[in-house]
Amino acid sequence: MQIARRMQRIPPYLFADLDRKRAALKAKGVDVISLAVGDPDLPTPDHIIEALAKAARDPATHQYPPYEGTREYREAVAGWYARRFGVTLDPGTEVLALIGSKEGLAHVPWVFVNPGDVALVSDPGYPVYATATMMADGEPYPVPMSRERGWVPDLGAIPSEVARRARVMFLNYPNNPTGGTAELAFFAEAVEFAKRWDVLVVHDNTYSEIAYDGYRPASFLQAPGARDVAIELHSLSKTYCMTGWRLGFAVGNRDAIQALGVLKTNIDSGQFAAIQAAGVAALTGPDAPVRERVARWQERRNTVVAGLRRAGLDAPLPKATFYLWIPVPAGYDAVGFTSHLLEHAGVVVTPGTGYGQRGEGYIRISLTTSDERFAEAVRRIREALGASAAERPVGSRAER
Ligand code: PLP
């Protein structure tokens, strides 16, 4: 058996690797606390579960669903966009159901990137944009992001010979892993860039509802002219605590939506119609359960950030997402500090380098672990850091 060459370019999926390390420690009897994966710890709201149960009992849901998603689901998406963003969508041509947004993101390069073409991916960024591009034999070009610029890229600094070869630009605000946010002025700039260089913007708006202190993130499609050059991908995973249900959607430019739909008809046969019915209940149902969950994360964010600051870490207070993107203390690199926390605190965090070269010098902590476990994790981190000054391993800036 031979594994195809393209697979050799793909690194192991970040969390698969972390899961293995955690399992090895657990097997040794260590009480490991994982703060690594962005998977909501709070339950899916009841009315959504009820909708699934009811729909699952209806034999009409047991057959293959329509490829593009059920009509009811696509109408619910359009209704939600109108209410939430004031953006009008035609459910027949501008909305496509996805089996989670990751599925859509992973298929985008197959549809829009020829072998050798460039996809612009933010660095640091969600790893799927780059790996999916490589799977389609395209070339991911890392667009630098920095704390100084609020984790928003300088599009003017992208070399014109790269922009000319680019077919797709992935953007993601609110941003994983940095917690950075972008406003409509930046989206308008991205529309101009896309028009100038004939690039499709793929905006990943997975975290639009996970925002704090009254902040309401925008849709890329609110920017003037966005629909000419962009699609936006969305997910029910984080908003409704439905990561395991695998339901998302793509909206926007109808030619792009149609092309993505053509690929999907050849690869998958859609998400279970009963899950789509539950998605309708989510998107058309009350907002209160979402607000309650976000309030819990906001409270946790405040407590955890305060605790980590007391432990000596320079933890920022993100306006959105459930991620803390924290500079590592002097003397460590990202992997070295991650190992230190694992070995001395039994706490799993994600090294920033898992999100690209410019993630060096950072770790990511996800707020999706219970308050009790967080209290224990912060206590252990504080101890590990208190103890660490004297015994900080020399040469921990290991090249790994
Ligand atoms: N996009 C970003 C930026 C994410 O962080 C994630 C999941 O962590 C996804 C997409 C995938 O979400 P889904 O569950 O909809 O596939």
Side-chain angles (χ1 to χ4, degrees), residues 38 100-102 105 126 129 172 176 204 206-207 235 237-238 246 323:
S101 61
K102 186 177 181 184
L105 292 165
Y126 182 55
Y129 314 136
N172 164 222
N176 174 18
D204 179 351
T206 290
Y207 294 96
S235 173
S237 288
K238 320 283 173 168
R246 314 309 304 132
Y323 301 119

Side-chain angles (χ1 to χ4, degrees), residues 68-93:
E68 63 281 9
T70 65
R71 181 80 200 177
E72 295 75 16
Y73 180 64
R74 286 177 293 130
E75 280 173 357
V77 168
W80 185 77
Y81 253 71
R83 279 197 312 284
R84 170 66 178 86
F85 299 116
V87 169
T88 311
L89 295 167
D90 172 4
T93 58

Side-chain angles (χ1 to χ4, degrees), residues 7-18:
M7 290 302 291
Q8 287 154 22
R9 298 175 64 201
I10 310 292
Y13 193 59
L14 179 62
F15 294 114
D17 215 34
L18 279 170

